[in-house]
Amino acid sequence: MIIRIMGEGQVEIAADDLAALNRLDGELEEAIRAGDEETFRTRLHALLDKVRDVGRELPDESLEPSELILPPSDASMEEVREMLGDEGLIPG
């Protein structure tokens, strides 16, 4: 799966890593529903850090289509809320 983090570039994620990313995505959604800014910020950074950690960075000149687009680390809760689909940022 190819994921783009806005403002950073693309990474390729192995299918084996999706369960951990989905768990973090669920925690992020819970923080948004609760309107908890501090937990939202922590969960957003945890999700993005995990994507960076498990992902293989693609070169900037790569023309691979992104299957998912994640917000930048400084995104507001409202911006992320608008990006959420029925299955969160990372569909299960």
Side-chain angles (χ1 to χ4, degrees), residues 39-58:
T39 301
F40 159 76
R41 187 70 39 213
T42 300
R43 298 296 187 250
L44 176 59
H45 283 262
L47 175 62
L48 295 175
D49 288 345
K50 185 68 171 178
V51 168
R52 291 180 196 109
D53 183 50
V54 301
R56 180 182 63 86
E57 192 172 327
L58 297 179

Side-chain angles (χ1 to χ4, degrees), residues 64-79:
E64 297 292 322
S66 298
E67 296 170 69
L68 296 173
I69 299 176
L70 297 180
S73 59
D74 63 349
S76 71
M77 191 182 310
E78 187 56 39
E79 289 170 324

